[in-house]
Amino acid sequence: MKIALMDSGIGLLAATAAVRRLRPDAHLVLSLDPDGMPWGPRTPQDLTQRAVAVAAAAAAHRPDALIVGCNTATVHALPALRARLEPGIPVIGTVPAIKPAAAGGGTVAIWATPATTGSPYQRNLIRDFAEGVRVAEVPCFGLAEAVEHADEAAIEVAVAAAAALTPKDVTTVVLGCTHYELVAERIRTAVQRPGHPPLVLHGSAGAVAAQALRRIGEQPAPEVAASGTLTVILSGREGALPDPALAYEEGRLLQAIAPAR
């Protein structure tokens, strides 16, 4: 079994680690785009072109499924990716976990990039899945970029700034960018109010990994032997995990995997 994941940068680490934990025997192909990152400021057309090229580089390794480990790429490029690769390769997008967050009741905050916050895409998700629930949209200025570069000082500043914009009565936070899952516990610490119930965080990595297995007719088997290999593609060229990835537990987990031959 071979699962490919794509993103402009290391935001795909959370979903990759989730796949690894569910199926240690899965061969992993990570396709990143260091030459074209960040994707967020690009026009939808330009982003789609970059995403299709990154997906094509992954598809050349003949994976059983491709996970789009990026919220922004899912919004703009998922139809083009599916038109290009399906039905031969199932393509699984990443959507903010607004539906399960809203089901828990209480006030929900959605932490997302400034471009996504207030966008028709996010507003439609809120309308469809969080009717009757108080939802606060929180723009996280510079957080994805800080996480991408493992810039500790910038992460601290960005998390604190977003926490200051988060209503004090929030019970649940949706991590609306895959990069944010890499610093989830820092976000929890920043938002948790003394004397309040434990904050609930909702990321997408686990659900996306499970959906990829379902799409190819496989089941989780975390107990199997860790025989999977790792291939890393950087803007079409085979390479290694970027150094900042190793600042995170998810990246260090992947570092231990043998390279594919």
Side-chain angles (χ1 to χ4, degrees):
M1 174 174 41
K2 185 180 290 184
I3 305 290
L5 300 97
M6 60 169 282
D7 190 4
S8 63
I10 64 173
L12 51 62
L13 287 179
T16 307
V19 173
R20 176 66 176 175
R21 292 182 179 113
L22 289 177
R23 288 300 297 256
D25 59 336
H27 301 292
L28 302 172
V29 177
L30 309 189
S31 189
L32 288 71
D33 188 26
D35 293 355
M37 67 177 299
W39 283 350
R42 293 181 176 273
T43 65
Q45 296 78 12
D46 189 20
L47 188 155
T48 297
Q49 289 180 343
R50 301 293 311 188
V52 167
V54 169
H61 290 259
R62 304 179 66 181
D64 297 298
L66 172 68
I67 293 172
V68 184
C70 172
N71 296 90
T72 303
T74 298
V75 171
H76 296 296
L78 189 61
L81 294 173
R82 284 180 167 161
R84 172 75 176 261
L85 298 178
E86 291 188 342
I89 302 175
V91 180
I92 297 91
T94 300
V95 177
I98 295 173
K99 184 176 182 179
T107 300
V108 175
I110 304 173
W111 282 35
T113 63
T116 299
T117 301
S119 67
Y121 164 75
Q122 185 160 290
R123 292 282 168 86
N124 287 339
L125 290 175
I126 294 170
R127 181 200 64 208
D128 292 344
F129 299 119
E131 184 178 359
V133 175
R134 185 183 172 209
V135 176
E137 296 180 88
V138 178
C140 302
F141 296 95
L143 182 53
E145 294 81 2
V147 172
E148 178 67 33
H149 295 101
D151 186 330
E152 294 292 330
I155 291 170
E156 183 177 351
V157 169
V159 168
L165 298 175
T166 303
K168 296 190 183 327
D169 63 342
V170 155
T171 60
T172 303
V173 173
V174 174
L175 304 176
C177 170
T178 54
H179 281 80
Y180 302 170
E181 297 192 48
L182 300 177
V183 291
E185 290 311 309
R186 299 190 208 190
I187 293 171
R188 184 192 305 279
T189 299
V191 178
Q192 180 68 57
R193 310 293 179 186
H196 286 237
L199 186 73
V200 178
L201 297 182
H202 281 279
S204 302
V208 166
Q211 176 66 2
L213 293 181
R214 283 194 292 269
R215 288 289 302 274
I216 61 176
E218 295 285 351
Q219 297 291 327
E223 73 286 351
V224 301
S227 56
T229 60
L230 178 67
T231 300
V232 178
I233 309 165
L234 305 175
S235 297
R237 310 174 297 273
E238 288 204 27
L241 284 173
D243 288 341
L246 304 181
Y248 304 102
E249 177 186 352
E250 293 85 350
R252 294 190 293 272
L253 173 68
L254 303 181
Q255 186 185 32
I257 303 175
R261 295 182 178 178

PDB file of all heavy atoms in Angstrom, residues 72-93:
ATOM      1  N   THR A  72      -5.895  25.378   1.850  1.00  0.00           N
ATOM      2  CA  THR A  72      -5.985  26.321   0.735  1.00  0.00           C
ATOM      3  C   THR A  72      -6.004  25.602  -0.602  1.00  0.00           C
ATOM      4  O   THR A  72      -6.793  25.933  -1.496  1.00  0.00           O
ATOM      5  CB  THR A  72      -4.810  27.316   0.781  1.00  0.00           C
ATOM      6  OG1 THR A  72      -4.816  27.986   2.043  1.00  0.00           O
ATOM      7  CG2 THR A  72      -4.913  28.341  -0.324  1.00  0.00           C
ATOM      8  N   ALA A  73      -5.142  24.601  -0.763  1.00  0.00           N
ATOM      9  CA  ALA A  73      -5.121  23.846  -2.009  1.00  0.00           C
ATOM     10  C   ALA A  73      -6.425  23.069  -2.205  1.00  0.00           C
ATOM     11  O   ALA A  73      -6.906  22.928  -3.334  1.00  0.00           O
ATOM     12  CB  ALA A  73      -3.931  22.890  -2.029  1.00  0.00           C
ATOM     13  N   THR A  74      -6.987  22.577  -1.125  1.00  0.00           N
ATOM     14  CA  THR A  74      -8.274  21.881  -1.220  1.00  0.00           C
ATOM     15  C   THR A  74      -9.351  22.814  -1.735  1.00  0.00           C
ATOM     16  O   THR A  74     -10.148  22.457  -2.611  1.00  0.00           O
ATOM     17  CB  THR A  74      -8.672  21.295   0.143  1.00  0.00           C
ATOM     18  OG1 THR A  74      -7.692  20.328   0.547  1.00  0.00           O
ATOM     19  CG2 THR A  74     -10.039  20.631   0.084  1.00  0.00           C
ATOM     20  N   VAL A  75      -9.377  24.036  -1.205  1.00  0.00           N
ATOM     21  CA  VAL A  75     -10.398  25.005  -1.615  1.00  0.00           C
ATOM     22  C   VAL A  75     -10.319  25.278  -3.114  1.00  0.00           C
ATOM     23  O   VAL A  75     -11.333  25.278  -3.825  1.00  0.00           O
ATOM     24  CB  VAL A  75     -10.225  26.325  -0.831  1.00  0.00           C
ATOM     25  CG1 VAL A  75     -11.136  27.414  -1.396  1.00  0.00           C
ATOM     26  CG2 VAL A  75     -10.524  26.106   0.637  1.00  0.00           C
ATOM     27  N   HIS A  76      -9.120  25.521  -3.610  1.00  0.00           N
ATOM     28  CA  HIS A  76      -8.980  26.026  -4.976  1.00  0.00           C
ATOM     29  C   HIS A  76      -8.678  24.954  -6.017  1.00  0.00           C
ATOM     30  O   HIS A  76      -9.059  25.098  -7.174  1.00  0.00           O
ATOM     31  CB  HIS A  76      -7.869  27.086  -5.027  1.00  0.00           C
ATOM     32  CG  HIS A  76      -8.165  28.299  -4.212  1.00  0.00           C
ATOM     33  ND1 HIS A  76      -9.222  29.145  -4.492  1.00  0.00           N
ATOM     34  CD2 HIS A  76      -7.550  28.814  -3.114  1.00  0.00           C
ATOM     35  CE1 HIS A  76      -9.242  30.127  -3.604  1.00  0.00           C
ATOM     36  NE2 HIS A  76      -8.248  29.945  -2.757  1.00  0.00           N
ATOM     37  N   ALA A  77      -7.984  23.888  -5.623  1.00  0.00           N
ATOM     38  CA  ALA A  77      -7.461  22.970  -6.631  1.00  0.00           C
ATOM     39  C   ALA A  77      -8.082  21.586  -6.620  1.00  0.00           C
ATOM     40  O   ALA A  77      -7.815  20.794  -7.534  1.00  0.00           O
ATOM     41  CB  ALA A  77      -5.935  22.840  -6.456  1.00  0.00           C
ATOM     42  N   LEU A  78      -8.906  21.261  -5.616  1.00  0.00           N
ATOM     43  CA  LEU A  78      -9.413  19.891  -5.514  1.00  0.00           C
ATOM     44  C   LEU A  78     -10.166  19.443  -6.772  1.00  0.00           C
ATOM     45  O   LEU A  78      -9.930  18.320  -7.255  1.00  0.00           O
ATOM     46  CB  LEU A  78     -10.298  19.748  -4.273  1.00  0.00           C
ATOM     47  CG  LEU A  78     -10.718  18.316  -3.922  1.00  0.00           C
ATOM     48  CD1 LEU A  78      -9.503  17.442  -3.638  1.00  0.00           C
ATOM     49  CD2 LEU A  78     -11.648  18.319  -2.695  1.00  0.00           C
ATOM     50  N   PRO A  79     -11.054  20.250  -7.364  1.00  0.00           N
ATOM     51  CA  PRO A  79     -11.733  19.784  -8.590  1.00  0.00           C
ATOM     52  C   PRO A  79     -10.755  19.462  -9.716  1.00  0.00           C
ATOM     53  O   PRO A  79     -10.907  18.446 -10.404  1.00  0.00           O
ATOM     54  CB  PRO A  79     -12.645  20.967  -8.957  1.00  0.00           C
ATOM     55  CG  PRO A  79     -12.889  21.673  -7.653  1.00  0.00           C
ATOM     56  CD  PRO A  79     -11.600  21.550  -6.912  1.00  0.00           C
ATOM     57  N   ALA A  80      -9.727  20.298  -9.895  1.00  0.00           N
ATOM     58  CA  ALA A  80      -8.754  20.050 -10.962  1.00  0.00           C
ATOM     59  C   ALA A  80      -7.938  18.792 -10.674  1.00  0.00           C
ATOM     60  O   ALA A  80      -7.632  18.011 -11.584  1.00  0.00           O
ATOM     61  CB  ALA A  80      -7.829  21.256 -11.109  1.00  0.00           C
ATOM     62  N   LEU A  81      -7.579  18.588  -9.412  1.00  0.00           N
ATOM     63  CA  LEU A  81      -6.798  17.404  -9.051  1.00  0.00           C
ATOM     64  C   LEU A  81      -7.608  16.135  -9.279  1.00  0.00           C
ATOM     65  O   LEU A  81      -7.085  15.128  -9.789  1.00  0.00           O
ATOM     66  CB  LEU A  81      -6.355  17.507  -7.594  1.00  0.00           C
ATOM     67  CG  LEU A  81      -5.369  18.634  -7.281  1.00  0.00           C
ATOM     68  CD1 LEU A  81      -5.140  18.731  -5.774  1.00  0.00           C
ATOM     69  CD2 LEU A  81      -4.053  18.419  -8.008  1.00  0.00           C
ATOM     70  N   ARG A  82      -8.881  16.168  -8.901  1.00  0.00           N
ATOM     71  CA  ARG A  82      -9.720  14.987  -9.103  1.00  0.00           C
ATOM     72  C   ARG A  82      -9.946  14.725 -10.586  1.00  0.00           C
ATOM     73  O   ARG A  82      -9.949  13.567 -11.025  1.00  0.00           O
ATOM     74  CB  ARG A  82     -11.038  15.160  -8.355  1.00  0.00           C
ATOM     75  CG  ARG A  82     -10.870  14.954  -6.844  1.00  0.00           C
ATOM     76  CD  ARG A  82     -12.150  15.108  -6.061  1.00  0.00           C
ATOM     77  NE  ARG A  82     -11.961  14.586  -4.693  1.00  0.00           N
ATOM     78  CZ  ARG A  82     -12.732  14.889  -3.669  1.00  0.00           C
ATOM     79  NH1 ARG A  82     -13.768  15.715  -3.827  1.00  0.00           N
ATOM     80  NH2 ARG A  82     -12.492  14.368  -2.486  1.00  0.00           N
ATOM     81  N   ALA A  83     -10.120  15.794 -11.360  1.00  0.00           N
ATOM     82  CA  ALA A  83     -10.311  15.611 -12.801  1.00  0.00           C
ATOM     83  C   ALA A  83      -9.071  14.996 -13.437  1.00  0.00           C
ATOM     84  O   ALA A  83      -9.167  14.209 -14.389  1.00  0.00           O
ATOM     85  CB  ALA A  83     -10.634  16.957 -13.455  1.00  0.00           C
ATOM     86  N   ARG A  84      -7.906  15.335 -12.901  1.00  0.00           N
ATOM     87  CA  ARG A  84      -6.646  14.850 -13.462  1.00  0.00           C
ATOM     88  C   ARG A  84      -6.346  13.403 -13.042  1.00  0.00           C
ATOM     89  O   ARG A  84      -5.845  12.606 -13.853  1.00  0.00           O
ATOM     90  CB  ARG A  84      -5.517  15.769 -12.996  1.00  0.00           C
ATOM     91  CG  ARG A  84      -4.092  15.326 -13.320  1.00  0.00           C
ATOM     92  CD  ARG A  84      -3.751  15.535 -14.788  1.00  0.00           C
ATOM     93  NE  ARG A  84      -2.356  15.189 -15.036  1.00  0.00           N
ATOM     94  CZ  ARG A  84      -1.362  16.070 -15.110  1.00  0.00           C
ATOM     95  NH1 ARG A  84      -1.619  17.365 -14.956  1.00  0.00           N
ATOM     96  NH2 ARG A  84      -0.133  15.680 -15.361  1.00  0.00           N
ATOM     97  N   LEU A  85      -6.656  13.038 -11.795  1.00  0.00           N
ATOM     98  CA  LEU A  85      -6.168  11.769 -11.251  1.00  0.00           C
ATOM     99  C   LEU A  85      -7.229  10.694 -11.051  1.00  0.00           C
ATOM    100  O   LEU A  85      -6.909   9.507 -11.114  1.00  0.00           O
ATOM    101  CB  LEU A  85      -5.464  12.027  -9.916  1.00  0.00           C
ATOM    102  CG  LEU A  85      -4.233  12.930  -9.974  1.00  0.00           C
ATOM    103  CD1 LEU A  85      -3.670  13.136  -8.580  1.00  0.00           C
ATOM    104  CD2 LEU A  85      -3.172  12.354 -10.898  1.00  0.00           C
ATOM    105  N   GLU A  86      -8.455  11.090 -10.742  1.00  0.00           N
ATOM    106  CA  GLU A  86      -9.478  10.075 -10.491  1.00  0.00           C
ATOM    107  C   GLU A  86     -10.060   9.570 -11.804  1.00  0.00           C
ATOM    108  O   GLU A  86     -10.048  10.298 -12.801  1.00  0.00           O
ATOM    109  CB  GLU A  86     -10.578  10.660  -9.588  1.00  0.00           C
ATOM    110  CG  GLU A  86     -10.069  10.919  -8.164  1.00  0.00           C
ATOM    111  CD  GLU A  86     -11.182  11.312  -7.199  1.00  0.00           C
ATOM    112  OE1 GLU A  86     -12.275  11.708  -7.652  1.00  0.00           O
ATOM    113  OE2 GLU A  86     -10.947  11.205  -5.981  1.00  0.00           O
ATOM    114  N   PRO A  87     -10.567   8.339 -11.848  1.00  0.00           N
ATOM    115  CA  PRO A  87     -10.735   7.400 -10.732  1.00  0.00           C
ATOM    116  C   PRO A  87      -9.501   6.556 -10.416  1.00  0.00           C
ATOM    117  O   PRO A  87      -9.515   5.774  -9.470  1.00  0.00           O
ATOM    118  CB  PRO A  87     -11.881   6.506 -11.203  1.00  0.00           C
ATOM    119  CG  PRO A  87     -11.679   6.448 -12.692  1.00  0.00           C
ATOM    120  CD  PRO A  87     -11.186   7.815 -13.091  1.00  0.00           C
ATOM    121  N   GLY A  88      -8.430   6.709 -11.181  1.00  0.00           N
ATOM    122  CA  GLY A  88      -7.267   5.856 -10.957  1.00  0.00           C
ATOM    123  C   GLY A  88      -6.649   6.027  -9.585  1.00  0.00           C
ATOM    124  O   GLY A  88      -6.256   5.054  -8.943  1.00  0.00           O
ATOM    125  N   ILE A  89      -6.561   7.290  -9.136  1.00  0.00           N
ATOM    126  CA  ILE A  89      -5.993   7.592  -7.819  1.00  0.00           C
ATOM    127  C   ILE A  89      -7.013   8.424  -7.046  1.00  0.00           C
ATOM    128  O   ILE A  89      -7.266   9.570  -7.404  1.00  0.00           O
ATOM    129  CB  ILE A  89      -4.668   8.374  -7.936  1.00  0.00           C
ATOM    130  CG1 ILE A  89      -3.642   7.586  -8.753  1.00  0.00           C
ATOM    131  CG2 ILE A  89      -4.117   8.708  -6.550  1.00  0.00           C
ATOM    132  CD1 ILE A  89      -2.354   8.360  -9.019  1.00  0.00           C
ATOM    133  N   PRO A  90      -7.631   7.890  -6.012  1.00  0.00           N
ATOM    134  CA  PRO A  90      -8.557   8.685  -5.192  1.00  0.00           C
ATOM    135  C   PRO A  90      -7.831   9.886  -4.578  1.00  0.00           C
ATOM    136  O   PRO A  90      -6.701   9.755  -4.094  1.00  0.00           O
ATOM    137  CB  PRO A  90      -9.024   7.709  -4.114  1.00  0.00           C
ATOM    138  CG  PRO A  90      -8.737   6.347  -4.667  1.00  0.00           C
ATOM    139  CD  PRO A  90      -7.525   6.498  -5.537  1.00  0.00           C
ATOM    140  N   VAL A  91      -8.481  11.048  -4.610  1.00  0.00           N
ATOM    141  CA  VAL A  91      -7.903  12.281  -4.064  1.00  0.00           C
ATOM    142  C   VAL A  91      -8.745  12.719  -2.869  1.00  0.00           C
ATOM    143  O   VAL A  91      -9.957  12.912  -2.996  1.00  0.00           O
ATOM    144  CB  VAL A  91      -7.856  13.394  -5.133  1.00  0.00           C
ATOM    145  CG1 VAL A  91      -7.258  14.667  -4.538  1.00  0.00           C
ATOM    146  CG2 VAL A  91      -7.055  12.942  -6.348  1.00  0.00           C
ATOM    147  N   ILE A  92      -8.104  12.877  -1.726  1.00  0.00           N
ATOM    148  CA  ILE A  92      -8.802  13.213  -0.480  1.00  0.00           C
ATOM    149  C   ILE A  92      -8.390  14.623  -0.063  1.00  0.00           C
ATOM    150  O   ILE A  92      -7.202  14.890   0.128  1.00  0.00           O
ATOM    151  CB  ILE A  92      -8.467  12.205   0.655  1.00  0.00           C
ATOM    152  CG1 ILE A  92      -8.956  10.799   0.281  1.00  0.00           C
ATOM    153  CG2 ILE A  92      -9.100  12.634   1.976  1.00  0.00           C
ATOM    154  CD1 ILE A  92      -7.932   9.960  -0.444  1.00  0.00           C
ATOM    155  N   GLY A  93      -9.351  15.532   0.045  1.00  0.00           N
ATOM    156  CA  GLY A  93      -9.063  16.902   0.444  1.00  0.00           C
ATOM    157  C   GLY A  93      -9.096  17.066   1.956  1.00  0.00           C
ATOM    158  O   GLY A  93      -9.512  16.169   2.695  1.00  0.00           O
TER     159      GLY A  93
END
